[in-house]
Amino acid sequence: MAAEMVLNHRVPHKALSEAELEEVAQRKSPAKPSLHSCLRKIRCSASTAKSLLFRFLPFLSWLPRYPVKDWLLGDITSGFSVGIMHLPQGLAYALLAGLPPVTGLYSSFYPVFLYFFFGTSRHNSVGPFAVISVMIGSLTESMLPSENFLESVNGSNMTVNEELRDKARVELVATITVLTGVFQVALGLLQFGFVVTYLSDPLVRGYTTAASVHVLVSQLKNVFGVSLSEHSGPLSLFMTFIEICQKLPETNVGTLVTAIIAMVVIFIVKELNHKFAAKLPMPIPIELITIIVSTGISYGVNLNAKFGISVVGNIPSGLKPPVAPNVSYFGQVAGNAFAIAVVGYAICISLGKIFALKHGYKVDSNQELIALGLSNFLGGFFQCFAISCSMSRSLVQESTGGNSQVAGVISSLVILVTILKIGELFRDLPKAILSAIIIINLHGMFKQFEDIRTLWKSNRVDLMVWIVTFVATLMLNLDMGLGVSVAFGLLTVIFRTQLPHYSILGRISDTNVYRDVAEYQMAQEVPGVKIFCSSSTLYFANVELYAEALKKKSGIDVDRLIKKKKKALKKLKKQQKKAEKEKAKRKKDAEDGLNGPGVSVIELSGAEGSAPPEPTLRSLGLPQPSFHAVILDFSRVSFMDTVSIKILKNIFRDFREIEVDVFIACCSATVLAQLERGNFFSSAITKHCFFPSVHDAVVHISEEPRQASVELSTRM
């Protein structure tokens, strides 16, 4: 049987059109879903309920099979390492978001603990992230600037009531976080995990690089120890930078020296950690060491009082009860919350897929949306700000032996102990130290400037997306910049489909392969046949360009030839009418006896007995095309709309006007179904014009003249 099949494959097959193929292959009619089948799908059974439970609570599937001996020690080590990183980063990123430092600790505890139950990535370290923090910070500064909380002291001096300001900002940010979670959960439940595909890798990298510049500029005030007015909206970054430059003479030298020393030490130790990563059991926790040492020095020397170095201030110990969000803010922050939801998810899922590919497991994109959403939604009630995934913490979690989110639970417990017992000890921590930690952690993101050189060599369109995203985010701020970037990215897709590569295909000798004759020397056009191919699908935005390119590539001015034909036919019609009038006149003369009746009758009967031949280009004296058939290669066409179907009908009509047959090859079943629904087929255009491959269409065209000559010889 197998040998017979091999032999059958070697036999040259007859070229089948789509109509003949449907009969031979017995194409199935599309099954219409019945009410019974729909009810069966939504019917709740024990297995369905179990699969849904395991899907929404992934830890139930892996925790019972958790290999304690192999994974537990690595997860504990990893959890402590990441927890040690969470502490300084939580404090620093709270400062970046314009919030009290303790909210950073809350955001490093609640969401991380919740992600254990709902997340599908084993190595992602969720929690505060610089880009999300600066997005929140720009919103708090624009909606609740410090100027709104000025109070007079002794009737003359105006100072900011920080307690009242922080309370209002915490309420605002908690509302944003809850709304961000709502958006993420809703998108996850609606299976909209694909929404992140609209954020291409160049767009995300350009955006995060620009956000890093925003982060850097926002921290310069703490590095130089100067107070600035808060700017928001377009060009706010440049206004802040100009104001910093203007206030450089007011720099607090003690603050600047503290920040520089901290940055140098942290940078050197981080480089050593990277260089000797294989030899070190865990990275040196230089950020934590810096915080502890600087807090001790600040407390012992009293840096705040003696040198005017700004410190963190009071950090309340213990957990606070949940508070409902202020729903009156929803309308004002909905757009920003959606942007934060999408950006946070994009960063999280991209990192999750990298680790999943490396370690051989799968990450559910929709469940990741739900996990992040629930972490944000529930965390918002406990004064957390929106979280995402940090690359630096995730790499530490993986490199120190982390195998599951048990490491996340351990790290959250480290933060819990800090909140309950240790946090209040950091009240004398200089803010310059936190700014130094933030700036040094941007080192990896600033390396993304190397993308410019890489994209210049590989893809200029992606380079344009990167640059436009970067510039728009710098100029227009983070929220508007993201919108402009996504719009520009989608425009590049539209432009690329509107300006595809059109080509005429030729056959590679001794093969059934057809390639662009302009690119392949051995590709030769089939005599009398033009094979046209486009690198894009067909839809309303590019189908007219497709038709124009086809006529241009064919080598003849189709529209001009049709006009000439219509003009010639009009002239011929006038001549026929004139001849008919003359015949009528002769007939009348014959009846009057002016001419011989026999001759006149014979002439008229001969004219009536034979129908006039159909006028052709040759008979009309018009130039004929050098080809008699056109094949449209539809292998790249994935869908068609009503406009493209209409234009395709016009293509068939126009080429038949100039005596050229049109055939379509490699048309998918989906596109065929769309053509059927669009009433494309008629008595003039049938499925006999469609072929499963270009070669089948060529074979069919070459056989047509042979069949015609055979039929002519049999008649003779």
Side-chain angles (χ1 to χ4, degrees):
M1 185 69 181
E4 187 180 339
M5 287 179 67
V6 171
L7 288 173
N8 287 340
H9 283 301
R10 290 175 182 173
V11 176
H13 67 277
K14 177 191 173 185
L16 297 176
S17 66
E18 285 290 344
E20 294 166 334
L21 187 63
E22 286 182 5
E23 292 181 8
V24 173
Q26 298 180 4
R27 182 185 175 189
K28 298 177 182 178
S29 57
K32 295 181 180 179
S34 63
L35 179 62
H36 179 67
S37 62
C38 292
L39 289 174
R40 283 187 65 186
K41 286 182 181 179
I42 63 173
R43 186 179 64 184
C44 185
S45 62
S47 59
T48 306
K50 185 179 178 182
S51 64
L52 282 173
L53 183 65
F54 277 41
R55 181 180 174 186
F56 288 110
L57 293 172
F59 83 100
L60 293 176
S61 61
W62 62 263
L63 191 59
R65 296 180 283 108
Y66 181 80
V68 177
K69 291 183 179 179
D70 298 330
W71 285 10
L72 185 59
L73 182 60
D75 280 338
I76 291 173
T77 306
S78 175
F80 274 108
S81 303
V82 174
I84 289 168
M85 289 183 70
H86 263 300
L87 175 57
Q89 288 187 9
L91 295 171
Y93 293 153
L95 185 70
L96 189 57
L99 298 170
V102 72
T103 58
L105 298 180
Y106 295 154
S107 301
S108 299
F109 169 62
Y110 289 107
V112 177
F113 186 73
L114 289 167
Y115 186 81
F116 167 82
F117 299 100
F118 303 106
T120 58
S121 173
R122 300 200 323 238
H123 297 90
N124 274 2
S125 175
V126 297
F129 181 59
V131 174
I132 304 297
S133 298
V134 78
M135 291 176 78
I136 294 169
S138 66
L139 193 57
T140 56
E141 289 178 1
S142 63
M143 293 186 66
L144 296 171
S146 297
E147 288 81 0
N148 292 1
F149 301 92
L150 290 173
E151 292 182 351
S152 61
V153 179
N154 300 326
S156 57
N157 295 329
M158 301 292 288
T159 60
V160 177
N161 187 331
E162 293 186 359
E163 185 179 350
L164 193 62
R165 181 199 64 186
D166 290 347
K167 185 179 179 182
R169 285 184 173 182
V170 167
E171 182 185 43
L172 171 65
V173 171
T175 303
I176 296 169
T177 305
V178 169
L179 194 55
T180 299
V182 169
F183 280 129
Q184 289 174 330
V185 171
L187 290 172
L189 292 174
L190 294 171
Q191 306 292 296
F192 267 60
F194 68 87
V195 73
V196 75
T197 57
Y198 293 105
L199 302 179
S200 64
D201 189 56
L203 189 150
V204 171
R205 292 174 73 86
Y207 183 79
T208 52
T209 307
S212 302
V213 177
H214 277 276
V215 172
L216 175 63
V217 172
S218 71
Q219 294 309 298
L220 291 178
K221 63 181 181 182
N222 292 324
V223 171
F224 290 102
V226 295
S227 58
L228 304 175
S229 55
E230 292 167 347
H231 304 281
S232 60
L235 302 178
S236 60
L237 176 76
F238 300 97
M239 290 187 286
T240 302
F241 185 74
I242 290 168
E243 189 177 356
I244 289 170
C245 293
Q246 291 172 344
K247 291 195 173 182
L248 282 180
E250 302 174 17
T251 300
N252 184 308
V253 179
T255 302
L256 181 61
V257 170
T258 302
I260 291 173
I261 292 172
M263 282 191 280
V264 170
V265 171
I266 293 170
F267 180 77
I268 291 172
V269 176
K270 276 182 172 285
E271 288 298 308
L272 292 173
N273 280 338
H274 179 70
K275 188 174 182 180
F276 299 104
K279 298 180 180 179
L280 293 171
M282 62 176 286
I284 300 169
I286 185 59
E287 294 171 340
L288 181 65
I289 293 170
T290 305
I291 282 180
I292 293 171
V293 172
S294 60
T295 302
I297 293 172
S298 176
Y299 176 76
V301 181
N302 199 359
L303 294 177
N304 180 248
K306 288 186 177 180
F307 301 100
I309 296 175
S310 180
V311 295
V312 167
N314 183 46
I315 299 177
S317 59
L319 300 174
K320 292 189 176 182
V323 179
N326 187 346
V327 294
S328 63
Y329 282 128
F330 278 6
Q332 301 175 59
V333 301
N336 303 85
F338 186 79
I340 292 169
V342 173
V343 172
Y345 170 65
I347 293 164
C348 194
I349 194 64
S350 58
L351 281 175
K353 286 184 176 179
I354 290 170
F355 290 121
L357 185 66
K358 183 178 179 180
H359 294 277
Y361 63 91
K362 288 185 178 181
V363 172
D364 186 340
S365 57
N366 291 307
Q367 181 58 29
E368 282 297 298
L369 257 177
I370 294 170
L372 269 183
L374 288 173
S375 298
N376 280 321
F377 177 76
L378 297 174
F381 287 91
F382 294 93
Q383 299 186 1
C384 299
F385 54 84
I387 54 98
S388 183
C389 182
S390 165
M391 178 177 283
S392 59
R393 291 197 307 268
S394 299
L395 288 172
V396 168
Q397 182 164 319
E398 183 215 20
S399 62
T400 53
N403 293 293
S404 70
Q405 284 302 325
V406 170
V409 173
I410 301 295
S411 69
S412 66
L413 293 178
V414 171
I415 298 300
L416 178 62
V417 172
T418 304
I419 294 170
L420 295 177
K421 298 293 182 183
I422 307 173
E424 58 187 8
L425 301 177
F426 293 107
R427 66 166 64 93
D428 291 309
L429 172 64
K431 288 184 179 179
I433 299 296
L434 295 178
S435 293
I437 292 170
I438 291 171
I439 291 170
I440 295 301
N441 279 326
L442 298 175
H443 177 239
M445 287 192 185
F446 284 132
K447 284 185 177 179
Q448 293 177 157
F449 279 110
E450 296 174 3
D451 293 350
I452 296 174
R453 183 177 59 186
T454 306
L455 293 174
W456 175 263
K457 295 177 181 178
S458 60
N459 193 312
R460 303 284 174 87
V461 176
D462 282 347
L463 176 62
M464 285 178 61
V465 172
W466 197 101
I467 292 173
V468 168
T469 302
F470 179 78
V471 173
T473 307
L474 287 185
M475 302 283 288
L476 303 175
N477 222 337
L478 293 162
D479 47 358
M480 293 173 65
L482 180 63
V484 170
S485 306
V486 172
F488 182 79
L490 293 176
L491 279 175
T492 61
V493 176
I494 293 170
F495 285 139
R496 279 191 266 193
T497 58
Q498 280 191 302
L499 302 171
H501 176 67
Y502 298 112
S503 56
I504 294 293
L505 306 184
R507 184 179 178 183
I508 307 294
S509 57
D510 300 325
T511 70
N512 297 338
V513 178
Y514 295 81
R515 290 292 183 267
D516 188 353
V517 294
E519 295 182 4
Y520 292 81
Q521 292 181 358
M522 297 302 293
Q524 300 294 326
E525 288 191 49
V526 178
V529 181
K530 291 286 183 182
I531 307 170
F532 182 73
C533 181
S534 169
S535 62
S536 174
T537 191
L538 293 181
Y539 67 112
F540 68 92
N542 69 356
V543 67
E544 290 189 6
L545 298 172
Y546 177 89
E548 289 174 10
L550 169 61
K551 292 173 181 178
K552 187 177 179 181
K553 288 280 186 180
S554 65
I556 58 170
D557 194 335
V558 177
D559 295 330
R560 188 179 177 187
L561 188 55
I562 290 172
K563 285 180 182 178
K564 284 185 176 181
K565 183 180 179 181
K566 287 180 178 179
K567 192 174 180 181
L569 287 172
K570 192 175 182 181
K571 187 177 179 182
L572 180 63
K573 198 172 182 181
K574 285 182 179 179
Q575 291 174 350
Q576 287 175 346
K577 282 184 178 180
K578 189 177 180 182
E580 285 175 3
K581 285 180 180 179
E582 289 177 358
K583 286 180 182 180
K585 187 178 179 182
R586 285 200 300 269
K587 185 178 179 182
K588 188 177 180 182
D589 292 342
E591 288 175 355
D592 292 341
L594 296 174
N595 295 324
V599 177
S600 179
V601 169
I602 292 168
E603 188 179 344
L604 283 171
S605 62
E608 289 173 359
S610 61
E614 186 74 23
T616 62
L617 293 174
R618 184 191 293 274
S619 66
L620 293 172
L622 297 174
Q624 292 178 282
S626 59
F627 54 95
H628 60 273
V630 168
I631 300 173
L632 305 179
D633 183 358
F634 265 35
S635 57
R636 314 286 174 83
V637 179
S638 57
F639 69 92
M640 292 185 73
D641 55 16
T642 54
V643 177
S644 56
I645 291 173
K646 183 180 178 181
I647 299 296
L648 188 60
K649 277 185 178 181
N650 294 343
I651 290 172
F652 271 79
R653 181 199 64 199
D654 290 348
F655 276 94
R656 282 181 178 173
E657 282 285 329
I658 61 170
E659 299 168 12
V660 174
D661 293 324
V662 180
F663 300 91
I664 292 178
C666 306
C667 185
S668 67
T670 306
V671 175
L672 266 174
Q674 289 170 347
L675 291 172
E676 287 174 350
R677 289 195 297 269
N679 298 320
F680 174 77
F681 296 105
S682 62
S683 57
I685 307 174
T686 66
K687 287 186 181 178
H688 290 283
C689 302
F690 286 68
F691 291 87
S693 70
V694 172
H695 188 65
D696 282 330
V698 171
V699 171
H700 171 78
I701 293 166
S702 61
E703 285 177 351
E704 274 189 333
R706 208 179 308 155
Q707 290 174 356
S709 62
V710 169
E711 289 175 5
L712 186 63
S713 62
T714 54
R715 287 174 186 173
M716 293 174 64

